[in-house]
Amino acid sequence: MLRLIGILASVLFAIAAAVLTWPQFFRLERTFPIAQIVSMRGALTLAFAAILVLALLACAVRAVRGFAASIALVALLAVVAGAGILVVRGLGEDTLPEPTASSVRVMTWNTAGVDAQVIARAAVEADADIVALPETTIDTGTEVAVAMRELGRPMWAHHESFADRPGYAEWAANSTTLLISPDLGDYAVIQSNSDGTTNTSTVPTVVAMPVVEGAGPTVVAVHAVAPRPQDMEGWRADLQWLADQCASDSVIMAGDFNATVDSMMRLGVDGGLLGRCHDAAVATGNGAVGTWSTAWPELLGSPIDHVMATSAWEPTGSVVLSSLDDAGSDHRPLIVQYEPASAG
């Protein structure tokens, strides 16, 4: 009987390990609680490593040796697979190439609680042309833009707020600000987005288009709802809505997606990951670096902040800033440098 229970437990552990290692194979990547667990892939791989060590130690006990060996084998495979995925996605690059005349640098930072001067200095030091600031009011965003202008890098400030909706309060989480350099041309938030007829479900996203058609990319400052148990339907709808925004030839999206690339699987078209967009951090060696939470080491955190673009833009480098972990936000800034694909 105990032997049968051991075999059953081993089989169940193997199934659980397979699901948590590659949930998209089972079409469970956006299912609670699998999506939440897999989003911490670094910590998950470390947990499988701990199970492996314990199982190997248990092999010294003759009565459970067979069971412990089977658990150790499954845990070993999960560690190898998890570590392999982390390595392929990128364990961290901390430099950006020198900007060229055609470069566009994009910074995203969920900045709730960060002083405007700190945000401005970080954006100027990053030489950012586009700055996506989820959980940032237009008042703070304007302060940032003014400070950046005084530091020699003027920006136009756009925003979206849900504060005037029933049941919403005027606080940072209900606002998203987008800063765009005048060098990229004039932009306006599209009416279908700004009047609330279409947007992410619970926290706002800004969709800005160039006033002169074709003058620049469509720019999307993203904030999807977090996948809490009560918000799973809205979260899944947000990811699909964001995929739909990346449908034209030239789009750059940046912000707090509250999702890792695992959760975006099967939402891409034409070879993209999310709609027609591709993830820049994965392409440039930072895809496994956690941007949330700053309380966790980078490789144990969750990479839920992204900069993405269509194939019209080629990412040439990225960096996740851990030097601002004490600035007041629980997110790390992510900076990406793009070149127009035609320039390569």
Side-chain angles (χ1 to χ4, degrees), residues 24 29-30 222 235 239 242-243 255-268 272-275 277-279 303-306 308:
Q24 45 270 49
E29 68 273 17
R30 288 183 290 279
V222 172
W235 175 70
L239 293 181
L242 292 169
D256 179 1
F257 289 69
N258 268 309
T260 65
V261 295
D262 290 293
S263 295
M264 299 177 189
M265 297 296 180
R266 296 187 295 116
L267 292 176
L273 172 67
L274 192 67
C277 280
H278 305 265
D279 187 83
I304 60 173
D305 300 272
H306 304 271
M308 311 181 78

Side-chain angles (χ1 to χ4, degrees), residues 16 26 37 63 89 134 143 153 172 177 204 209 230 245-246 260 274 276 282 305 310 329 344:
F26 303 91
I37 297 172
R89 291 179 181 174
E143 286 185 57
R153 194 158 189 85
T177 293
M209 298 187 69
Q230 68 273 21
Q245 306 316 299
C246 199
T260 65
L274 192 67
R276 295 173 67 183
V282 171
D305 300 272
T310 57
S329 173

Side-chain angles (χ1 to χ4, degrees), residues 53-229:
V53 171
L54 293 174
L56 290 174
L57 291 174
C59 286
V61 181
R62 184 172 184 176
V64 295
R65 185 171 298 161
F67 170 69
S70 63
I71 293 297
L73 177 60
V74 173
L76 174 62
L77 293 174
V79 169
V80 171
I85 291 169
L86 291 171
V87 170
V88 168
R89 291 179 181 174
L91 300 180
E93 296 288 339
D94 57 4
T95 58
L96 288 168
E98 286 296 317
T100 68
S102 59
S103 296
V104 173
R105 282 197 176 176
V106 184
M107 182 177 108
T108 180
W109 192 9
N110 183 321
T111 61
V114 181
D115 182 78
Q117 294 293 327
V118 174
I119 301 170
R121 286 195 297 271
V124 170
E125 289 173 6
D127 206 15
D129 302 288
I130 297 170
V131 183
L133 301 172
E135 298 199 25
T136 306
T137 65
I138 187 57
D139 291 338
T140 300
T142 300
E143 286 185 57
V144 174
V146 170
M148 290 183 70
R149 181 188 66 198
E150 293 174 348
L151 292 169
R153 194 158 189 85
M155 304 290 277
W156 292 116
H158 307 273
H159 86 293
E160 179 60 74
S161 174
F162 284 177
D164 57 349
R165 293 188 175 188
Y168 282 76
E170 182 63 61
W171 66 301
N174 292 330
S175 295
T176 297
T177 293
L178 170 64
L179 308 180
I180 302 178
S181 169
D183 293 342
L184 294 180
D186 293 330
Y187 275 78
V189 176
I190 63 171
Q191 185 62 35
S192 62
N193 181 256
S194 62
D195 66 8
T197 56
T198 177
N199 206 305
T200 35
S201 63
T202 305
V203 285
T205 290
V206 183
V207 180
M209 298 187 69
V211 172
V212 178
E213 185 176 355
T218 298
V219 181
V220 184
V222 172
H223 198 186
V225 69
R228 303 178 185 89

